[in-house]
Amino acid sequence: MSQATGELARRIDELMPRAQADLAELVAIPSVADPRQYPPEKCREAAEWVAAAFARVGLRDVHLAETPDGSHAVLGHRPPPPGAPTVLLYSHYDVQPPLDAAAWASEPFRLTERDGRWYGRGTADCKGNIVMHLTALRALGDDVPVGLKLAVEGSEEQGTGGLEQYVPPHADELHADALLICDTGNAAVGVPTVTTSLRGVVNVVVGVEALRGNVHSGMFGGPAPDALAALIRMLDSLRDADGGTRIDGLDCTGTWSGAGYDEGTFRTDAGVLDDVRLTGSGTVADRLWSRPAVTVLGIDCPPVVGSVAAVPAAARARVSLRVPPGTDARTAQEALVAHLEAAAPWGVRVSVERESAGAPFRADTGGPAYAALDQAMREVYGKPMSFLGQGGSIPLCNVLATTFPESEIVLMGVEEPRCLIHAPNESVDPEEIRRMAHVEALFLRYFADSRSSGRRPR
């Protein structure tokens, strides 16, 4: 480690109490971007906190920009030194609701230290990444070798697309040579990783009608077609015998060539019960990141409590399909619709409502930003950068790729499987904040050097 790098590490170590205090303040703001659940002024409070914090670390014209869905993105910039590139720093300040409060071991909106981790809603997704940015910039001080642009959005978890709609008509505000999308993280604690693949997602609501109304199962059950039974058959047809997704017209045999996902680790991370088998075939990584994956999100049918002896006349279900890179989302949605319609038994009437479609994403990893990031990760973690896929979707990445086709898009951050993002007892390992802040600060230096000299980092 060079003297300059060691000095940077020392500064970040000294800044970690400040990082903890920052995260405690942010976590205490219940910035759930759903006015049906939390007051909208809490999101405004979080946005203003973020704006003030980045203004204090040297960004200019930091302000709140209203986006088309009514949420506020925090935007700002810092001009580049002569000949230097510009880097966009992204994160989001809105969080998921805490869900079952009784399942939390501590107050969701109070930062709590336990077993070496910091617990609270948003500690990892994504307020921990905001703190990572701030810590990296504080460590660099006035010696920031690149231009900076900032975009911290306020409705990412709601999926209402505020920033996605804002970007194209405001491209000049956000254009940069490298875009650090800090809403992912490492394969495991201490394993430096970038996410290079995101699955897209398409949803449909399928309805089945078989009778004019419910009829007595004693008088008519048997020959009377059961709409719920028909729907169950249709949904079951979406999987083969081992539980893998099989949809007519879609390739469900893809393979993953990046970092793997140990099956035992996956079982623990996903909370799979003992003796319950995983579904599908191939490696866990194949199934997670390179193949379509269907999930029945909900069914409308008579509940057990209050049910009566009647043949259901109608039923419906919401079906979600995750789509790997290389598969067009709308094409996949139409294949799902056609499969369900073809699988309907007994001539029942089928209706399908098509919901939104989010495209998959695959990053180009051959540019100078990735080379600079690999160098930074090797220096901080002592091992080379790994490539990871992610089963979730970040539609903003496709908007950015279309709007800025020459820019490099990098997905990274402080998250890892033990964080339990979106679940009760979300947490972050403070060591990941420390290390990733160091990585980011080094990256800004190495990327500036590679772009100004025309050389790839060593």
Side-chain angles (χ1 to χ4, degrees):
M1 183 180 294
S2 68
Q3 181 177 353
T5 300
E7 176 63 19
L8 198 58
R10 184 189 65 78
R11 289 181 202 161
I12 290 172
D13 286 344
E14 293 174 350
L15 286 165
M16 285 305 294
R18 176 78 176 275
Q20 184 176 14
D22 281 349
L23 193 56
E25 290 181 17
L26 262 179
V27 167
I29 305 171
S31 48
V32 177
D34 184 351
R36 299 170 300 180
Q37 301 183 69
Y38 287 85
E41 54 265 27
K42 292 302 180 181
C43 281
R44 178 85 185 205
E45 181 182 348
E48 291 173 346
W49 189 101
V50 171
F54 279 96
R56 286 193 293 268
V57 296
L59 271 73
R60 301 180 187 177
D61 187 31
V62 184
H63 63 283
L64 274 57
E66 185 171 353
T67 70
D69 69 354
S71 67
H72 289 88
V74 182
L75 305 180
H77 70 96
R78 178 175 179 143
T86 296
V87 175
L88 173 76
L89 305 180
Y90 166 88
S91 189
H92 63 85
Y93 62 79
D94 68 305
V95 298
Q96 286 281 338
L99 303 176
D100 183 5
W104 286 77
S106 53
E107 168 59 41
F109 294 114
R110 185 181 70 241
L111 191 72
T112 304
E113 187 168 5
R114 188 167 66 249
D115 302 324
R117 297 180 70 90
W118 296 343
Y119 286 81
R121 175 57 88 219
T123 50
D125 183 22
C126 206
K127 293 174 176 179
N129 286 308
I130 294 172
V131 170
M132 176 192 74
H133 287 319
L134 290 169
T135 304
L137 296 179
R138 287 177 183 140
L140 289 169
D142 293 330
D143 186 24
V144 179
V146 298
L148 295 175
K149 292 191 177 178
L150 177 71
V152 182
E153 71 173 311
S155 60
E156 192 276 342
E157 297 293 5
Q158 291 303 307
T160 46
L163 188 59
E164 296 155 41
Q165 299 171 65
Y166 183 89
V167 168
H170 300 86
D172 289 347
E173 292 181 56
L174 299 170
H175 180 267
D177 299 283
L179 316 175
L180 297 190
I181 309 302
C182 294
D183 191 14
T184 62
N186 292 338
V189 171
V191 180
T193 312
V194 292
T195 298
T196 60
S197 170
L198 297 171
R199 288 193 296 196
V201 62
V202 295
N203 293 338
V204 302
V205 176
V206 55
V208 174
E209 292 181 295
L211 303 167
R212 292 186 180 88
N214 295 350
V215 295
H216 193 286
S217 60
M219 296 179 63
F220 299 102
D226 179 331
L228 179 56
L231 178 61
I232 290 170
R233 282 202 175 190
M234 294 161 61
L235 299 177
D236 183 62
S237 75
L238 297 171
R239 294 179 179 269
D240 58 21
D242 63 10
T245 297
R246 291 293 180 269
I247 295 174
D248 296 339
L250 287 186
D251 179 12
C252 299
T253 62
T255 57
W256 175 253
S257 59
Y261 199 156
D262 175 73
E263 182 170 326
T265 303
F266 174 82
R267 293 182 66 91
T268 299
D269 293 342
V272 180
L273 299 178
D274 293 344
D275 302 322
V276 175
R277 297 188 299 276
L278 301 187
T279 52
S281 59
T283 69
V284 169
D286 292 341
R287 286 172 271 177
L288 272 179
W289 305 321
S290 292
R291 298 179 182 178
V294 71
T295 303
V296 179
L297 301 179
I299 296 181
D300 287 342
C301 61
V304 171
V305 176
S307 57
V308 298
V311 179
R316 65 177 191 156
R318 188 167 185 238
V319 181
S320 179
L321 181 65
R322 297 286 177 171
V323 183
T327 300
D328 178 76
R330 288 294 182 188
T331 299
Q333 189 174 49
E334 292 309 310
L336 175 61
V337 171
H339 182 109
L340 288 168
E341 291 174 340
W346 319 318
V348 295
R349 296 179 182 176
V350 176
S351 61
V352 182
E353 174 189 346
R354 294 162 177 81
E355 296 186 331
S356 60
F361 171 79
R362 179 180 287 129
D364 180 356
T365 61
Y370 277 86
L373 186 62
D374 180 49
Q375 183 182 1
M377 285 185 162
R378 286 174 186 268
E379 200 152 338
V380 173
Y381 284 90
K383 58 188 73 171
M385 177 173 70
S386 296
F387 292 152
L388 187 71
Q390 188 177 108
S393 306
I394 305 177
L396 177 65
C397 287
N398 294 289
V399 174
L400 294 173
T402 300
T403 308
F404 310 120
E406 302 303 318
S407 301
E408 292 186 75
I409 299 176
V410 179
L411 291 109
M412 54 179 267
V414 302
E415 301 164 24
E416 36 80 21
R418 291 181 61 196
C419 292
L420 298 180
I421 65 172
H422 294 199
N425 298 304
E426 179 182 350
S427 68
V428 69
D429 188 326
E431 281 298 292
E432 291 296 82
I433 293 179
R434 181 184 66 80
R435 286 188 288 242
M436 288 303 297
H438 193 185
V439 165
E440 181 171 308
L442 285 176
F443 164 79
L444 297 179
R445 286 182 174 177
Y446 296 152
F447 186 54
D449 178 63
S450 68
R451 290 297 297 260
S452 62
S453 66
R455 294 181 287 103
R456 289 171 64 88
R458 294 172 295 166

